[in-house]
Amino acid sequence: MKKRCSIMKAILAALLAAAMCVPAAALGEEKTFTVGICQLVQHDALDAATQGFKDALTEALGDKVTFDEQVASGDSAACNTIVNSFVSKKVDLILANATPALQAAYNATAAIPVLGTAITEYGVALGLSDFNGVVGGNVSGTSDLAPLTEQADMILELFPDAKKVGLLYCSAEPNSEYQVKVVEDYLAEKGVECTRFSFADSNDISAVTTKAASDSDVIYIPTDNTAASCTETIGNIVLAAKVPVVVGEQGICKGCGVATLSISYYDLGRKTGEMAVKILTGEADVSEMPIEYAPATKMFNAAICEELGVTIPEGYEALN
């Protein structure tokens, strides 16, 4: 009997020792997460959104979360490749930073949670005719949509004598088309003549901007990723022509604009990161999460305003 008890004790001790050697994650105590980040292109706004997202996740989860961060260098096809690699690796969540990245993720997986950020209008981006603020399925996120009619009012406020407004944007970005249409219709009702100047990609942005500067009193650029990655080119042309530019976000404004009504992309990214934490920890279901927004602020570029002799009224904050 004593021998049998000794054997049982030895077995129990061995089982206990084995259990102590099992990784904590296998026991359900320490789950780790891998998050894939697909960012369309590097520029101030998207970089800030990605950083805010990572900061929010890291602050909440510490070393339990790792990031597979990849940039598509402005190539929509590369977004597909990047997202498909995330699906193959079975990451726990995908951040799609900008519309082509979201479209790629939306088409690549219906199982892995996908959060978009820096997306202007989800219904337009994903071709949803019945979009009501919740995408459903495995997709949610945040929008960088600032009040477009208020941006148009800024043009009228700053340049009341302007008769011709040029709308400069990338025709390959559906959300840019959407923003331009809203501003165009609004200004037309105010009796302002609007002309579209669209470029297919960065290769023809110089020629199109030169034409826009020649034919416009003021230029409007929406929240547009291609324009955001080419602000130096645009800025050199419009400043030489002495044509002011009102833009949709602060990153573009820093490079070539006089003023903007813009959100903080860092804060937008943080909000997206907070949504990701809730999904990963099981606190929220991505299919039920509505698209979230950030407040917008009037800002101006002091250096460009001085160079063009533009007087900014009260109520605007100077860009850092």
Side-chain angles (χ1 to χ4, degrees), residues 142-159:
T142 57
S143 169
D144 61 358
L145 181 63
L148 296 172
T149 56
E150 292 182 30
Q151 290 181 354
D153 279 332
M154 287 175 59
I155 297 173
L156 302 176
E157 177 185 34
L158 297 173
F159 309 102

Side-chain angles (χ1 to χ4, degrees), residues 186-209:
Y186 184 81
L187 290 177
E189 290 178 359
K190 303 291 185 180
V192 178
E193 179 184 344
C194 295
T195 303
R196 295 190 180 199
F197 297 91
S198 64
F199 46 88
D201 53 39
S202 58
N203 293 321
D204 59 349
I205 197 167
S206 179
V208 174
T209 302

Side-chain angles (χ1 to χ4, degrees), residues 25-157:
L27 296 174
E29 296 175 3
E30 283 288 343
K31 181 169 176 57
T32 58
F33 307 97
T34 300
V35 175
I37 299 175
C38 178
Q39 180 174 319
L40 174 64
V41 67
Q42 286 189 303
H43 61 67
D44 287 350
L46 298 190
D47 291 349
T50 292
Q51 190 61 53
F53 175 80
K54 291 167 62 179
D55 286 352
L57 272 167
T58 302
E59 288 173 18
L61 300 176
D63 59 7
K64 295 177 186 176
V65 61
T66 57
F67 303 100
D68 185 347
E69 183 178 350
Q70 300 188 43
V71 179
S73 300
D75 184 355
S76 297
C79 288
N80 294 324
T81 302
I82 292 169
V83 168
N84 285 329
S85 74
F86 293 159
V87 174
S88 297
K89 295 173 184 176
K90 297 181 180 180
V91 299
D92 296 290
L93 183 141
I94 295 172
L95 174 71
N97 192 345
T99 297
L102 177 68
Q103 292 168 331
Y106 181 74
N107 292 323
T109 178
I112 298 173
V114 173
L115 290 178
T117 194
I119 312 297
T120 303
E121 217 286 335
Y122 280 74
V124 172
L126 300 178
L128 307 175
S129 59
D130 58 348
F131 177 65
N132 62 358
V134 178
V135 176
N138 64 320
V139 177
S140 188
T142 57
S143 169
D144 61 358
L145 181 63
L148 296 172
T149 56
E150 292 182 30
Q151 290 181 354
D153 279 332
M154 287 175 59
I155 297 173
L156 302 176
E157 177 185 34

Side-chain angles (χ1 to χ4, degrees), residues 140-291:
S140 188
T142 57
S143 169
D144 61 358
L145 181 63
L148 296 172
T149 56
E150 292 182 30
Q151 290 181 354
D153 279 332
M154 287 175 59
I155 297 173
L156 302 176
E157 177 185 34
L158 297 173
F159 309 102
D161 297 328
K163 303 300 182 186
K164 297 180 179 181
V165 174
L167 307 170
L168 182 65
Y169 66 102
C170 179
S171 58
E173 297 189 35
N175 274 318
S176 294
E177 290 268 9
Y178 169 79
Q179 294 171 81
V180 162
K181 180 68 165 60
V182 172
V183 171
E184 182 179 44
D185 290 347
Y186 184 81
L187 290 177
E189 290 178 359
K190 303 291 185 180
V192 178
E193 179 184 344
C194 295
T195 303
R196 295 190 180 199
F197 297 91
S198 64
F199 46 88
D201 53 39
S202 58
N203 293 321
D204 59 349
I205 197 167
S206 179
V208 174
T209 302
T210 299
K211 177 65 173 171
S214 174
D215 296 352
S216 310
D217 299 318
V218 181
I219 291 173
Y220 170 76
I221 302 176
T223 302
D224 183 288
N225 289 300
T226 309
S229 63
C230 299
T231 57
E232 183 176 358
T233 298
I234 296 171
N236 289 337
I237 294 169
V238 297
L239 289 176
K242 300 297 182 184
V243 176
V245 179
V246 174
V247 304
E249 60 94 0
Q250 60 181 302
I252 301 176
C253 194
K254 286 180 180 179
C256 63
V258 294
T260 183
L261 178 65
S262 178
I263 64 165
S264 163
Y265 277 82
Y266 178 81
D267 290 345
L268 190 72
R270 284 195 67 93
K271 186 179 290 288
T272 317
E274 291 164 3
M275 295 173 72
V277 171
K278 292 178 181 179
I279 293 167
L280 293 173
T281 59
E283 184 180 340
D285 183 342
V286 64
S287 68
E288 299 174 354
M289 300 178 82
I291 302 304

